[in-house]
Amino acid sequence: MTGPQPVLSVQDLSIRFRMRDGAYVQAVSGARLDLAAGECLALVGESGCGKSVLASALLGLLPGNAETAGSAFIGDLDLLAADERTLARTVRGRRVGLVPQSPAAHLTPVRTVRSQLEETVRELTGVRRGPRLRAAAEEAAERAAFPAGHLDRHPHELSGGLAQRAATALALVGDAPLLLADEPTTGLDRDLVERTVDELRRHIGAERALLLITHDLAAAERIADRVAVMYASRIVELADTADFFGSPGPRHPYARGLLDALPEREFTPIPGMPPELGALPAGCAFAARCDRATGICGTRPALADGVACHHPATVPLEAPRA
């Protein structure tokens, strides 16, 4: 007997960009992940590892020089195979809500936040006019901790944090089955980070899922059920949050290095730099930075039992300092 169908199922997703000189940049390589209703999965990793490219693929927002392979199903719809008409009319906002990384580019600069919320409410909920429309827009703002006193301001009059909360409010309007939050805490202080991610978590309920793309490991630990670690285009570890941040801790040396770099832990940076996505090695992309590397690391490890490493850690990670 099989379980319920996942909200999102990504299988062997690869994305590369063809450059003008004919070379390719491999942004995502063979990504696999399932996201169940009621679940939050945090996708973490250094800048440039491919996290936001994966998110753009799910919304059909890749540039024209992108080439994709694999599949990404939401329900019975393969998002990678859907045409622009389908994506625009039935996916964006309705089946996938987006909290963008750059809200300034997502908000219309010549319209107030209120008018943009009301337009989104009309489009996605069927509430057309009058007090109900106004109330629905204000409720959406409140859900994202956006202050009512700023609703009649234009985006350029907002701080970065307020712009992020306005974009979050827009994403929550349609109650989409999948909420995709791409660095939703950028520019927010810690109290607002916690309030924002808590609201995103409340959005999940029993029937929805959240894919949280973030550099903020504290935010991931706070609300995620599982953590996927991405490095140099590849998912290298997938673990339950309690295991990842507690005991036994991460098993991939890179994932372990991410935690060791935190101020409340070892505060030790990972040596070296990640490889260029246009010149990825055939084997383990982390081998050049890894003190566990041996000759076998010249071959690419598969993601097996939640980790893509020939020499996964087995010793529990030291607990953070009090």
Side-chain angles (χ1 to χ4, degrees):
M1 184 175 181
T2 60
Q5 184 180 35
V7 172
L8 175 69
S9 181
V10 174
Q11 298 298 322
D12 295 320
L13 172 59
S14 293
I15 304 165
R16 65 179 187 174
F17 299 105
R18 184 179 178 88
M19 311 311 288
R20 290 183 178 180
D21 61 2
Y24 286 95
V25 171
Q26 189 71 40
V28 179
S29 301
R32 293 187 177 191
L33 56 89
D34 285 341
L35 193 52
E39 182 182 26
C40 171
L41 174 67
L43 184 60
V44 304
E46 292 171 285
S47 295
C49 69
K51 305 186 306 295
S52 293
V53 173
L54 189 153
S56 296
L58 299 180
L59 288 162
L61 297 177
L62 294 172
N65 66 330
E67 299 178 4
T68 64
S71 62
F73 280 91
I74 184 164
D76 58 359
L77 176 66
D78 185 354
L79 298 171
L80 301 184
D83 57 31
E84 174 58 27
R85 180 184 178 91
T86 299
L87 291 166
R89 293 196 173 192
T90 69
V91 174
R92 298 179 193 132
R94 291 176 171 83
R95 301 182 75 172
V96 183
L98 172 67
V99 181
Q101 184 174 12
S102 301
H106 191 71
L107 299 170
T108 304
V110 296
R111 299 178 58 192
T112 66
V113 175
R114 183 188 301 277
S115 70
Q116 294 181 63
L117 280 170
E118 289 182 350
E119 178 186 41
T120 304
V121 169
R122 280 195 299 269
E123 183 70 19
L124 298 181
T125 72
V127 177
R128 296 298 179 189
R129 60 178 65 87
R132 287 183 61 207
L133 178 62
R134 184 179 182 89
E138 292 176 354
E139 180 184 353
E142 184 178 359
R143 289 177 69 186
F146 186 88
H150 290 69
L151 279 169
D152 294 311
R153 294 188 177 185
H154 292 81
H156 72 272
E157 299 176 289
L158 305 176
S159 66
L162 283 177
Q164 185 64 267
R165 281 183 274 168
T168 300
L170 290 168
L172 293 176
V173 168
D175 285 325
L178 174 65
L179 186 64
L180 200 165
D182 189 1
E183 299 290 356
T185 59
T186 301
L188 304 184
D189 61 33
R190 180 49 52 184
D191 286 345
L192 285 175
V193 165
E194 293 179 355
R195 187 170 176 179
T196 297
V197 297
D198 286 349
E199 180 53 57
L200 295 176
R201 178 76 211 196
R202 281 192 290 273
H203 165 83
I204 297 174
E207 299 179 354
R208 304 182 183 95
L210 170 63
L211 179 59
L212 174 66
I213 295 172
T214 185
H215 290 91
D216 191 334
L217 293 176
E221 183 178 13
R222 184 177 179 88
I223 70 165
D225 299 291
R226 290 185 297 146
V227 176
V229 181
M230 200 165 188
Y231 181 76
S233 86
R234 300 163 183 168
I235 293 176
V236 296
E237 183 157 0
L238 188 60
D240 290 341
T241 300
D243 293 337
F244 187 84
F245 288 100
S247 181
R251 299 175 62 205
H252 194 282
Y254 169 69
R256 184 161 287 215
L258 284 181
L259 290 195
D260 281 342
L262 294 175
E264 64 270 24
R265 294 185 183 250
E266 297 295 325
F267 205 27
T268 304
I270 302 172
M273 296 292 291
E276 295 291 334
L277 296 183
L280 291 174
C284 174
F286 189 64
R289 306 173 71 183
C290 183
D291 60 7
R292 293 171 173 263
T294 64
I296 195 174
C297 300
T299 61
R300 179 177 174 178
L303 185 67
D305 193 27
V307 62
C309 181
H310 293 298
H311 307 293
T314 58
V315 178
L317 191 65
E318 183 178 345
R321 295 190 295 270

